[in-house]
Amino acid sequence: MTEPLLIERDGPVVTWTLNDPAARNPVSDEAMIEAIERAVDAVNRDDEVRVAILTGAGSAFSSGGNVKHMRDKEGMFGGTAAQQRQGYRHGIQRIPRALYHCEVPTVAAVNGPAIGAGCDLAMMCDLRVASTKAVFAESFVKVGLIPGDGGAWLLPRIVGMARATEMALTGEAVDAATALEWGMVSSVVEPDELHAAARALADRVAANPPQALRMTKRLLREGQHQSLDALLELSAAMQTIAHSTADHHEAVAAMLDKRPPRFTGN
């Protein structure tokens, strides 16, 4: 049986590759959902991992939901309305929850079309780089559906409410150049340069102390819904932890000694 998610580790960076290219990497099947959950859990438990890259095999990043399964009322799309509601809650909605709680920074390397839930999947990552062949479509309305996997929460936080509304209500695709202009992606490169560009960005992140990275990501997440006072309290507590790490002392010493730091994650 083909693994739904390929996992490759290279130093402090792990790469996750959606591995169903024949179907354009849908993410609504139980096997893919479970694989993503397991991958996130593994990096959360491994302090040596500093960054995760998410990409797709073949020509597409992800087609989102499995349209054939929608037609045939299979998997999470089967049963009564009440059963389908549970299918979403206990199916594809596990992916945004998993990636939201992924402790390490994530980089989406969008190699091709990111459609519907595939677009939202890219938005679930912290950073995005795109191939010139990438397109992004919040296209649920085109098939008579709504963003069922958190897109209405994710997309406005990245491109702003007006642009997110345009994407969601028209369902029309945004090309890579427009995505760059809108701040949806950090850079756009030729297809054969995408992996190197994603890895270069991951390496820039991974060059920093891993515990500080994880805590900084957590603060950015908490800052989306907490009051300033609450976030300042959490920041003070986390900063105390950061001050006590060996990596903080190494960073200060390296800066004063004018040499590259050597971080150990301690």
Side-chain angles (χ1 to χ4, degrees):
M1 180 177 177
T2 303
E3 289 294 327
L5 188 72
L6 301 180
I7 300 174
E8 181 181 359
R9 174 78 174 273
D10 182 10
V13 177
V14 64
T15 299
W16 302 326
T17 303
L18 306 173
N19 188 37
D20 190 0
R24 298 170 68 83
N25 303 317
V27 291
S28 56
D29 296 347
E30 180 65 21
M32 182 67 81
I33 295 166
E34 287 185 354
I36 292 172
E37 286 183 318
R38 288 195 302 269
V40 170
D41 185 62
V43 301
N44 284 350
R45 294 171 181 270
D46 188 347
D47 285 342
E48 294 185 1
V49 176
R50 302 186 188 184
V51 184
I53 296 172
L54 176 63
T55 193
S59 61
F61 177 72
S62 174
S63 60
N66 191 318
V67 178
K68 290 182 179 179
H69 287 181
M70 293 181 195
R71 179 196 63 192
D72 299 335
K73 303 295 184 182
E74 293 181 4
M76 61 175 280
F77 307 114
T80 65
Q83 289 169 331
Q84 287 185 33
R85 173 176 175 264
Q86 293 294 79
Y88 272 86
R89 293 179 65 236
H90 301 294
I92 198 170
Q93 289 183 357
R94 286 153 50 197
I95 297 176
R97 289 191 178 99
L99 288 172
Y100 185 84
H101 293 291
C102 182
E103 295 182 8
V104 304
T106 51
V107 178
V110 186
N111 51 300
I115 307 300
C119 178
D120 292 341
L121 181 66
M123 301 306 114
M124 293 172 203
C125 295
D126 301 302
L127 299 164
R128 285 156 294 280
V129 295
S131 156
T132 53
K133 294 186 176 181
V135 295
F136 301 85
E138 192 75 352
S139 56
F140 299 93
V141 70
K142 292 290 191 183
V143 289
L145 296 175
I146 55 92
D149 61 335
W153 189 91
L154 293 157
L155 196 57
R157 285 168 163 76
I158 295 167
V159 300
M161 182 57 77
R163 285 169 172 161
T165 301
E166 179 182 344
M167 288 184 69
L169 296 186
T170 66
E172 295 170 357
V174 169
D175 63 19
T178 303
L180 180 63
E181 179 187 347
W182 286 6
M184 189 182 296
V185 300
S186 299
S187 62
V188 175
V189 298
E190 293 301 321
D192 60 354
E193 298 172 358
L194 180 64
H195 179 74
R199 180 57 195 251
L201 179 56
D203 285 342
R204 286 166 54 201
V205 175
N208 295 301
Q211 297 305 322
L213 286 174
R214 292 183 182 222
M215 288 190 287
T216 298
K217 174 171 176 173
R218 179 64 181 274
L219 285 176
L220 289 169
R221 287 282 195 254
E222 294 298 321
Q224 293 179 323
H225 60 83
Q226 286 195 3
S227 67
L228 175 59
D229 284 342
L231 189 72
L232 288 173
E233 286 295 330
L234 182 59
S235 301
M238 285 191 171
Q239 192 73 300
T240 302
I241 296 170
H243 272 292
S244 69
T245 63
D247 279 347
H248 163 63
H249 298 298
E250 166 63 10
V252 172
M255 185 176 295
L256 294 175
D257 294 344
K258 295 181 173 56
R259 60 172 175 79
R262 295 180 295 274
F263 298 128
T264 63
N266 298 313

